[in-house]
Amino acid sequence: MCDCLFCKMVKGEIPVNKLYEDEDFIVIKDINPEPKVHYLMIPKEHYANLTELNDERAVKIGKGLKILSTTIALEKLNLKEGFRVVANTGDWGGQSVHHLHFHLLGGEKLTDKMG
Ligand code: 5GP
Ligand code: ZN
């Protein structure tokens, strides 16, 4: 049995409150929201992070980012002032759950600008 936290959520082995679901993704609220609006877009397929993208996965992720930015951020959450999408990648990137996911952050002005 897969020991991955997000795979268990995808399979319904751990109950989660889904804001959105389609054949490729779920979107859930982060358990430790920081800032106040904080969701995770999780692909249903397990792979560790962005370094494991292939062409097929990249197409799905592109569609997922479109849904995250329009349907979720603008229409469902009304983040019209702006938001941030982050994929922490690997240990030095601060990734703690090694199943690819995108953080959607907003609901207040984000000050800790990086890059
Ligand atoms: P990472 O550090 O890998 O970029 O992000 C993992 C995220 O998963 C963290 O923001 C953490 O708060 C969130 N998280 C960890 N465990 C759970 C959980 O059981 N439920 C939910 N909804 N989020 C979780
Ligand atoms: Zn997984």
Side-chain angles (χ1 to χ4, degrees):
M1 198 175 97
C2 178
D3 204 29
C4 168
L5 175 68
F6 288 171
C7 281
K8 287 180 180 163
M9 292 179 177
V10 165
K11 289 182 201 150
E13 293 169 8
I14 294 176
V16 275
N17 210 340
K18 294 172 197 157
L19 177 68
Y20 175 87
E21 179 169 20
D22 65 20
E23 59 185 3
D24 296 318
F25 298 98
I26 59 172
V27 177
I28 64 167
K29 208 175 224 180
D30 198 287
I31 201 170
N32 183 24
E34 207 184 327
K36 61 185 175 192
V37 176
H38 186 171
Y39 287 83
L40 302 172
M41 184 181 80
I42 303 170
K44 289 186 172 179
E45 182 189 4
H46 177 97
Y47 51 102
N49 59 45
L50 290 172
T51 69
E52 296 185 5
L53 284 181
N54 55 29
D55 287 351
E56 190 185 338
R57 289 171 177 170
V59 169
K60 285 185 184 172
I61 293 301
K63 288 181 185 164
L65 288 174
K66 173 175 172 265
I67 291 163
L68 189 65
S69 303
T70 57
T71 312
I72 311 275
L74 292 183
E75 291 169 27
K76 285 190 183 286
L77 299 173
N78 197 30
L79 299 177
K80 57 185 184 308
E81 308 298 340
F83 54 88
R84 187 175 293 168
V85 176
V86 172
N88 296 322
T89 302
D91 291 335
W92 280 28
Q95 184 176 10
S96 59
V97 178
H98 295 276
H99 175 136
L100 177 67
H101 54 282
F102 292 86
H103 296 257
L104 173 64
L105 309 167
E108 59 192 273
K109 191 164 171 62
L110 302 174
T111 51
D112 51 341
K113 186 173 185 304
M114 297 185 75

